[in-house]
Amino acid sequence: QVQLVESGGGSVQAGESLKLSCTASGYRFRDCGMGWYRQVPGKERDLVSRIRTFGTTEYADSVKDRFTISRDNDKNTLYLQMDSLKTEDTGVYYCAACLMSSNPVEFKYWGPGTQVTVSS
């Protein structure tokens, strides 16, 4: 079965960096677009960034020029490098795989999430 496992979350100070990883199994990793979402209590999950199978990327305006999404198809792993973190980046980050719809963006598979906490 499909499994997505996030890692790399934690607690940092504003201005610091974190790198999230998402290791995938159970499907052909290189055939699926991937994404990272963030959710804070009481709100819906918001798309932070996504990467297509051929490598093109998109970012939410709030993270442009600070976050970098990438993928390693040989390692079946998705990454999110988060630099210059802000307190508003705090939330649970979810890895998502295999785009079902592009308008709106919807993914088929989800990881359990990893907590990122940024303090001032």
Short mmCIF file of all heavy atoms in Angstrom, two decimals, residues 3 11 14 18 22-24 33 35-36 43 46 52 58 74 76-77 80 94 96 100 114 120:
data_model
loop_
_atom_site.label_atom_id
_atom_site.label_comp_id
_atom_site.label_asym_id
_atom_site.label_seq_id
_atom_site.Cartn_x
_atom_site.Cartn_y
_atom_site.Cartn_z
N GLN A 3 2.53 4.53 1.17
CA GLN A 3 2.91 5.08 2.47
C GLN A 3 3.78 6.30 2.26
O GLN A 3 4.73 6.27 1.48
CB GLN A 3 3.65 4.04 3.31
CG GLN A 3 3.84 4.44 4.75
CD GLN A 3 4.37 3.29 5.60
OE1 GLN A 3 4.93 2.34 5.10
NE2 GLN A 3 4.16 3.39 6.91
N SER A 11 11.28 22.28 16.58
CA SER A 11 11.10 23.63 17.11
C SER A 11 12.37 24.44 16.87
O SER A 11 13.46 23.98 17.22
CB SER A 11 10.81 23.57 18.60
OG SER A 11 9.58 22.90 18.85
N ALA A 14 12.85 31.96 15.10
CA ALA A 14 12.63 32.71 13.87
C ALA A 14 13.98 33.05 13.23
O ALA A 14 14.94 33.38 13.94
CB ALA A 14 11.85 33.97 14.15
N LEU A 18 14.95 24.70 8.62
CA LEU A 18 14.63 23.30 8.79
C LEU A 18 14.51 22.67 7.41
O LEU A 18 14.13 23.36 6.45
CB LEU A 18 13.30 23.10 9.53
CG LEU A 18 13.26 23.18 11.05
CD1 LEU A 18 11.82 23.08 11.53
CD2 LEU A 18 14.12 22.10 11.68
N CYS A 22 10.15 13.60 3.01
CA CYS A 22 8.99 12.71 2.89
C CYS A 22 9.41 11.52 2.07
O CYS A 22 9.69 11.65 0.87
CB CYS A 22 7.82 13.43 2.23
SG CYS A 22 6.42 12.36 1.83
N THR A 23 9.46 10.37 2.72
CA THR A 23 9.85 9.14 2.04
C THR A 23 8.60 8.38 1.62
O THR A 23 7.70 8.16 2.44
CB THR A 23 10.71 8.26 2.95
OG1 THR A 23 11.87 9.02 3.34
CG2 THR A 23 11.17 7.02 2.22
N ALA A 24 8.54 8.02 0.34
CA ALA A 24 7.35 7.40 -0.22
C ALA A 24 7.60 5.95 -0.61
O ALA A 24 8.72 5.57 -0.98
CB ALA A 24 6.89 8.19 -1.44
N GLY A 33 3.14 13.79 -9.24
CA GLY A 33 3.43 15.09 -8.66
C GLY A 33 3.32 15.00 -7.15
O GLY A 33 2.66 14.11 -6.61
N GLY A 35 3.44 17.36 -3.21
CA GLY A 35 3.25 18.67 -2.61
C GLY A 35 3.45 18.65 -1.11
O GLY A 35 3.47 17.60 -0.48
N TRP A 36 3.61 19.85 -0.58
CA TRP A 36 3.66 20.07 0.87
C TRP A 36 2.53 21.01 1.25
O TRP A 36 2.33 22.05 0.60
CB TRP A 36 4.99 20.71 1.30
CG TRP A 36 6.16 19.79 1.26
CD1 TRP A 36 7.12 19.71 0.30
CD2 TRP A 36 6.52 18.82 2.26
NE1 TRP A 36 8.04 18.76 0.62
CE2 TRP A 36 7.70 18.20 1.82
CE3 TRP A 36 5.97 18.43 3.47
CZ2 TRP A 36 8.35 17.20 2.55
CZ3 TRP A 36 6.61 17.43 4.19
CH2 TRP A 36 7.78 16.84 3.74
N LYS A 43 -7.98 25.78 11.04
CA LYS A 43 -7.96 26.20 9.64
C LYS A 43 -7.77 25.01 8.72
O LYS A 43 -7.33 23.94 9.14
CB LYS A 43 -6.87 27.24 9.41
CG LYS A 43 -7.09 28.55 10.14
CD LYS A 43 -6.11 29.61 9.70
CE LYS A 43 -6.40 30.94 10.37
NZ LYS A 43 -5.47 32.01 9.91
N ASP A 46 -3.39 24.31 3.83
CA ASP A 46 -3.04 25.19 2.72
C ASP A 46 -1.85 24.63 1.96
O ASP A 46 -0.88 24.15 2.57
CB ASP A 46 -2.68 26.60 3.23
CG ASP A 46 -3.88 27.34 3.75
OD1 ASP A 46 -4.99 27.13 3.21
OD2 ASP A 46 -3.72 28.15 4.69
N ARG A 52 6.04 19.13 -9.91
CA ARG A 52 5.51 18.22 -10.90
C ARG A 52 6.51 17.11 -11.19
O ARG A 52 7.65 17.15 -10.76
CB ARG A 52 5.16 18.99 -12.16
CG ARG A 52 4.01 19.97 -11.96
CD ARG A 52 3.74 20.78 -13.22
NE ARG A 52 2.60 21.67 -13.08
CZ ARG A 52 2.65 22.86 -12.53
NH1 ARG A 52 3.81 23.30 -12.03
NH2 ARG A 52 1.58 23.60 -12.44
N GLU A 58 5.92 25.22 -7.78
CA GLU A 58 5.07 26.35 -7.44
C GLU A 58 5.14 26.57 -5.94
O GLU A 58 5.34 25.61 -5.17
CB GLU A 58 3.61 26.08 -7.83
CG GLU A 58 3.36 26.00 -9.32
CD GLU A 58 1.91 25.74 -9.65
OE1 GLU A 58 1.08 25.74 -8.72
OE2 GLU A 58 1.60 25.51 -10.84
N ASP A 74 15.44 8.81 -7.27
CA ASP A 74 16.18 7.57 -6.97
C ASP A 74 15.99 7.14 -5.53
O ASP A 74 16.09 5.95 -5.21
CB ASP A 74 17.66 7.76 -7.26
CG ASP A 74 17.93 7.94 -8.74
OD1 ASP A 74 17.18 7.37 -9.56
OD2 ASP A 74 18.89 8.66 -9.08
N ASN A 76 13.16 8.05 -3.80
CA ASN A 76 11.73 8.13 -3.50
C ASN A 76 11.44 9.11 -2.37
O ASN A 76 10.64 8.84 -1.46
CB ASN A 76 11.17 6.75 -3.12
CG ASN A 76 11.05 5.82 -4.30
OD1 ASN A 76 11.43 6.17 -5.43
ND2 ASN A 76 10.55 4.63 -4.07
N THR A 77 12.09 10.25 -2.42
CA THR A 77 12.00 11.21 -1.33
C THR A 77 11.73 12.61 -1.84
O THR A 77 12.33 13.05 -2.82
CB THR A 77 13.29 11.20 -0.48
OG1 THR A 77 13.52 9.87 0.01
CG2 THR A 77 13.16 12.14 0.70
N LEU A 80 11.58 19.62 1.55
CA LEU A 80 11.20 21.03 1.64
C LEU A 80 12.24 21.73 2.51
O LEU A 80 12.28 21.51 3.71
CB LEU A 80 9.81 21.21 2.23
CG LEU A 80 9.30 22.66 2.22
CD1 LEU A 80 9.07 23.14 0.80
CD2 LEU A 80 8.02 22.79 3.05
N TYR A 94 2.24 18.52 5.93
CA TYR A 94 1.85 17.24 5.35
C TYR A 94 2.45 17.08 3.96
O TYR A 94 2.44 18.02 3.16
CB TYR A 94 0.34 17.15 5.22
CG TYR A 94 -0.41 17.16 6.53
CD1 TYR A 94 -0.84 18.35 7.11
CD2 TYR A 94 -0.69 15.97 7.19
CE1 TYR A 94 -1.52 18.35 8.30
CE2 TYR A 94 -1.38 15.97 8.39
CZ TYR A 94 -1.80 17.16 8.94
OH TYR A 94 -2.48 17.16 10.13
N ALA A 96 2.05 15.26 0.34
CA ALA A 96 0.96 14.75 -0.47
C ALA A 96 1.51 14.26 -1.81
O ALA A 96 2.48 14.81 -2.34
CB ALA A 96 -0.08 15.83 -0.70
N MET A 100 -4.69 14.49 -8.23
CA MET A 100 -5.96 14.02 -8.77
C MET A 100 -6.64 15.12 -9.57
O MET A 100 -7.39 14.86 -10.52
CB MET A 100 -6.89 13.57 -7.65
CG MET A 100 -6.44 12.33 -6.92
SD MET A 100 -7.76 11.64 -5.88
CE MET A 100 -8.08 13.02 -4.78
N THR A 114 4.06 16.32 10.11
CA THR A 114 5.14 16.58 11.06
C THR A 114 5.01 18.03 11.55
O THR A 114 4.75 18.94 10.76
CB THR A 114 6.52 16.33 10.41
OG1 THR A 114 7.55 16.46 11.40
CG2 THR A 114 6.81 17.27 9.26
N SER A 120 9.52 33.21 18.39
CA SER A 120 10.21 34.50 18.19
C SER A 120 11.29 34.73 19.24
O SER A 120 11.40 33.99 20.20
CB SER A 120 9.19 35.64 18.26
OG SER A 120 8.53 35.61 19.52
#
